[in-house]
Amino acid sequence: MTVTAVVGAQWGDEGKGRVVDYLAQRADMVIRFQGGDNAGHTVVNELGTFRLHLVPSGIFNPRTRCIVGTGTVVNPETLLQEMNEQLAPVGVNLDNLWLSDRAHVIMPYHRLLDGLEESARGGAQIGTTRRGIGPVYADKAARHGIRLGDLTRPAYLRARLALVVERKNRELAYFGQPAMHLDELVDQAVAWGKILGPRIVDTLPMIQAAVRGGQQILLEGQLGVMRDLDWGIYPYVTSSNPVAGAACVGAGLPPTAIGEIIGVVKAYSTAVGAGPFPVELHDEDGLRLREIGQEYGATTGRPRRCGWFDGIAIRDAAWLNGFTGLAVTKLDVLDSFTELKICVGYELDAARIDRVPTTADLERVTPVYETWPGWGVSTKDARRWDDLPAAARAYLRRISELAAAPIRYVSVGPEREQLIAMSNE
Ligand code: GDP
């Protein structure tokens, strides 16, 4: 299959970056299809450790064309930082990085208003990263957005911004903030346009040619289905759709073009930020998962909430995405546990349910667990399925059964070679 979507099957931070980095070794094109610099994909390879927020994780393969797709939202400031401070200094070739002229721009007022709105929520904070993602997607839907292509057309840009600034200043005044000036915003945006201009293109012809030419294309998702605007734990969600269906819209190809959908799942559960998280552990096991797994946010450094594998969330994720395969990551983190648990049901008002209910009910569920024996030996050096201890294989088979999808990859460490690819078996 030539077009493969790689999506998060849980709450985000599943290790999509490392899976895409691995698959990109053979990919002609990698497209990010939603989200902005609110999440980080960690990639560890021979050049070092990178936290990519916007640049597709395929950038390390000099042959791979990388596209920041139409469905993304771009803060030019952080994009330039990522290019100039992380990637260029170690010699990563950026000639193949392209930006869709239709992707929306995160303007300074989006970030400012994101922070002000989150603070105003008081005790009911959503847990946003305050990077302007919610406000920019809101403006996109309300048709007040500025798009990357506008940055290279100063007169058009000024006219668009003139309409928006007045409205934004009313919002800022509501929070007691000083007004923003049209001229300053235009100057800033035009300056971004000058630097990024050569990369800002109509990406559709490139993608069409790649699909028609049978090239290997990866669609790189951000966050996970439990943070999906429609299907996640609303309102503790992101403002876009990380599910595979959205990849068609956000990248710019028909649903029939996608051949493979790989769901990336951690061998346990983590979530960062607020919202119901039924499998969260508040005990020693939770602390161990956090410390061994180094579960701290790539973008914010926030400690992640940790818990056992949630087999109910994965069932919904599997249905919504249509996984053709799973990549299970961080199996090694479980190596030292003598006993593991997998959530196989939720109890709500004394009844057992087997799917994720709406947020108000999810806050009240109690997880039902089955217990699995641990394996008690290191898996870090396993390179083939048969190298894994029998108990680890049984645990993985159970995950595969719950997700109704075959396991295609298992990772046992952050390094590129610490990935077992089942197709090579
Ligand atoms: P993403 O946003 O889905 O790409 O996930 P993150 O990059 O936020 O989080 C994944 C973290 O786990 C990163 O620090 C990775 O280096 C690390 N990681 C990925 N796979 C493995 C693995 O198999 N074992 C261990 N120990 N760490 C891993």
Side-chain angles (χ1 to χ4, degrees):
M1 289 300 179
T2 58
V3 182
T4 303
V6 178
V7 296
Q10 295 163 311
W11 290 259
D13 307 315
E14 297 93 347
K16 294 174 294 295
R18 65 110 66 233
V19 174
V20 174
D21 175 64
Y22 176 83
L23 294 173
Q25 294 176 87
R26 291 190 307 271
D28 300 298
M29 181 177 275
V30 180
I31 311 173
R32 273 279 310 265
F33 61 85
Q34 44 78 229
D37 59 334
N38 50 328
H41 290 178
T42 308
V43 175
V44 183
N45 57 29
E46 66 279 4
L47 294 173
T49 297
F50 302 88
R51 294 208 160 71
L52 301 179
H53 301 293
L54 274 167
V55 176
S57 307
I59 198 71
F60 300 100
N61 180 347
R63 243 181 14 87
T64 307
R65 266 183 300 171
C66 289
I67 296 182
V68 178
T70 294
T72 64
V73 289
V74 176
N75 181 338
E77 217 53 74
T78 45
L79 175 63
L80 287 166
Q81 228 171 43
E82 201 162 302
M83 292 161 59
N84 299 336
E85 291 171 26
Q86 280 205 67
L87 300 170
V90 292
V92 175
N93 178 7
L94 295 171
D95 293 349
N96 270 333
L97 178 64
W98 302 99
L99 314 171
S100 167
D101 57 2
R102 287 160 171 84
H104 280 245
V105 181
I106 299 176
M107 297 294 291
Y109 46 78
H110 290 131
R111 279 185 80 123
L112 196 57
L113 286 165
D114 201 4
L116 291 165
E117 278 165 17
E118 180 74 340
S119 300
R121 289 185 188 108
Q125 298 201 344
I126 295 173
T128 105
T129 53
R130 299 170 186 247
R131 304 216 166 210
I133 309 295
V136 73
Y137 275 119
D139 272 1
K140 173 178 173 175
R143 286 139 314 167
H144 298 136
I146 302 295
R147 305 200 289 180
L148 278 176
D150 303 342
L151 304 185
T152 57
R153 297 168 176 83
Y156 183 81
L157 173 73
R158 175 175 284 275
R160 293 279 307 155
L161 267 173
L163 292 174
V164 178
V165 170
E166 207 182 309
R167 178 180 292 272
K168 293 297 154 194
N169 281 340
R170 277 203 298 276
E171 288 177 47
L172 289 168
Y174 170 81
F175 290 107
Q177 296 293 310
M180 290 198 159
H181 299 290
L182 176 63
D183 286 343
E184 285 174 22
L185 287 170
V186 172
D187 289 350
Q188 170 72 88
V190 169
W192 287 331
K194 284 207 173 108
I195 306 172
L196 294 172
R199 299 178 192 280
I200 301 174
V201 294
D202 179 1
T203 47
L204 209 65
M206 254 185 220
I207 295 169
Q208 277 174 329
V211 173
R212 288 181 178 143
Q215 295 190 2
Q216 298 293 330
I217 302 172
L218 285 180
L219 307 175
E220 179 178 7
Q222 179 229 31
L223 287 167
V225 63
M226 295 298 280
R227 301 289 184 192
D228 185 276
L229 181 58
D230 290 283
W231 291 101
I233 47 172
Y234 192 90
Y236 309 99
V237 291
T238 197
S239 300
S240 62
N241 296 100
V243 294
C248 311
V249 184
L253 38 78
T256 46
I258 301 184
E260 292 269 12
I261 299 167
I262 303 290
V264 185
V265 287
K266 232 175 241 187
Y268 50 98
S269 302
T270 64
V272 71
F277 183 40
V279 291
E280 182 169 14
L281 292 170
H282 297 282
D283 59 7
E284 187 60 26
D285 284 334
L287 288 176
R288 281 179 67 205
L289 287 172
R290 180 184 293 158
E291 287 317 309
I292 302 172
Q294 279 301 296
E295 297 296 351
Y296 297 91
T299 300
T300 57
R302 287 186 286 187
R304 294 176 183 148
R305 300 156 73 193
C306 298
W308 299 120
F309 188 84
D310 189 331
I312 298 303
I314 200 71
R315 280 172 55 141
D316 277 13
W319 168 255
L320 291 166
N321 287 286
F323 299 139
T324 58
L326 297 181
V328 183
T329 64
K330 301 191 99 163
L331 184 72
D332 55 297
V333 174
L334 302 179
D335 286 350
S336 63
F337 286 79
T338 46
E339 209 173 71
L340 303 165
K341 294 201 165 99
I342 294 180
C343 166
V344 290
Y346 293 152
E347 235 172 55
L348 179 67
D349 297 330
R352 176 109 172 233
I353 55 172
D354 63 0
R355 68 159 311 256
V356 182
T358 188
T359 308
D361 285 343
L362 190 63
E363 280 170 354
R364 301 186 303 115
V365 306
T366 316
V368 179
Y369 291 113
E370 24 174 78
T371 303
W372 287 76
W375 40 94
V377 291
S378 171
T379 56
K380 285 183 201 297
D381 296 322
R383 295 293 175 270
R384 297 168 52 85
W385 174 255
D386 292 339
D387 295 340
L388 292 172
R393 281 181 278 156
Y395 180 79
L396 290 168
R397 278 197 203 100
R398 182 67 174 130
I399 289 179
S400 167
E401 189 177 83
L402 288 162
I407 291 180
R408 296 284 304 280
Y409 306 95
V410 179
S411 83
V412 290
E415 306 285 335
R416 211 182 236 178
E417 63 275 12
Q418 289 179 299
L419 191 92
I420 299 169
M422 304 293 280
S423 48
N424 296 343
E425 291 297 305

